[in-house]
Amino acid sequence: MTTRRKFLSGSIASSAAFLSACEAVSAPVTAGVKPLVVSTWDFGLPANAEAWKILENGGRALDAVEAGVKIPEGDPKVQTVGYGGFPDRDGHVTLDACIMDEKYNCGSVMFLEHIKHPISVARMVMEKTPHIVLVGEGALQFALANGFQKENLLIPESEKAWKEWLKKAKYEPQVNIENKSFRADTLPGSKENHDTIGMVALDANGNLSGACTTSGLSFKMHGRVGDSPIIGAGLYVDNEIGAATATGVGEEVIRIAGSFLVVELMRQGHSPEKACYEAVQRIIKRKPDRAKDLQVGFLAINKTGEYGSYALQKGFSYALTYKGTHQMTDSKSVY
Ligand code: ASP
């Protein structure tokens, strides 16, 4: 059995830079604690609360993560996920989502329009088809054939923001970075211009699952898909080891198979935080010139109930729930 001591010794052995950048034992010790759920950004708090209702009653992590991420998906005030999400540059709200259980089953939808809860369509792809990914019109047809309702997801606030954006129409996906002028605080009704909910959970039976859902980068090119619905990039679950999810510029996460990398680093003995740190370092190594202007954050838990995160920039935070308490935590970051 893997012990906390083993995780710590792995992290101590491999990087002096990491140790100077953070204190490996500063997070609350949750090893041995289950159930437990973590999710990205502040909209993770109500999402975790929903997931917790299932987890505290001994429910399955898969059910918990689906129920949890449906909260921001259905909330029009969250303009980066699901209903109410910012559209692409052509005015279409296109959604990406994926889900993965404790048995390596997974499902994904990409470039899906008109469906409020893409995570539930992804789960249905996983459970009702021989496939893993459905995209665009095919995903929509599948959803409608399985009882989902076709809806207009473009709310007036997001349409207004898009029309404002069109005045300058800079054809570069915008990324929020603290202290940078293109932070999206100026967009009406919105704090951010991107952000994904990625949620990973460990249930009372010791099983892991994860879900990840987003409307992607605001005002992206029509047809663009990010990391979030890509198994191994935006989400990965290995029930022997741990689970990880990502947020931020999806292109950079895809390039390094980010969530899979984090899980594999945990397999090598790294703590969740150290694994996330190493994945962030991999992004910097691949694109040293660009990394300073990008945001990517990773969030992970391991099989023993430890959790951790790391981001490129300040500003990434995540919601943590265990023993019935919910709290927001600021992620450590490189810059
Ligand atoms: N990762 C998402 C994407 O690239 C966006 C985000 O999380 O900020 O679509």
Side-chain angles (χ1 to χ4, degrees), residues 63-86:
D63 295 326
V65 295
E66 182 192 5
V69 303
K70 282 174 78 173
I71 299 299
E73 276 188 346
D75 184 350
K77 291 195 289 302
V78 178
Q79 286 171 287
T80 55
V81 178
Y83 172 60
F86 289 123

Side-chain angles (χ1 to χ4, degrees), residues 129-152:
T129 80
H131 307 306
I132 291 179
V133 183
L134 290 180
V135 304
E137 191 58 30
L140 177 60
Q141 282 170 14
F142 171 76
L144 297 177
N146 283 283
F148 289 85
Q149 298 302 310
K150 188 168 182 175
E151 294 178 57
N152 174 22

Side-chain angles (χ1 to χ4, degrees), residues 18 130 217 279:
F18 175 74
L217 296 178

Side-chain angles (χ1 to χ4, degrees), residues 266-330:
M266 291 194 286
R267 191 191 306 280
Q268 291 168 20
H270 294 307
S271 68
E273 184 177 294
K274 178 67 181 348
C276 293
Y277 168 83
E278 291 293 345
V280 166
Q281 288 297 332
R282 187 77 61 94
I283 290 174
I284 295 171
K285 199 172 160 195
R286 293 284 180 270
K287 297 274 172 191
D289 300 339
R290 275 172 53 81
K292 278 203 168 67
D293 294 322
L294 301 173
Q295 175 64 304
V296 170
F298 291 105
L299 177 62
I301 58 177
N302 66 21
K303 187 77 175 166
T304 72
E306 292 175 304
Y307 64 91
S309 76
Y310 226 93
L312 274 171
Q313 315 288 338
K314 283 190 176 56
F316 173 47
S317 59
Y318 60 95
L320 163 69
T321 300
Y322 65 101
K323 292 184 178 166
T325 62
H326 310 279
Q327 65 186 72
M328 284 307 296
T329 303
D330 288 331

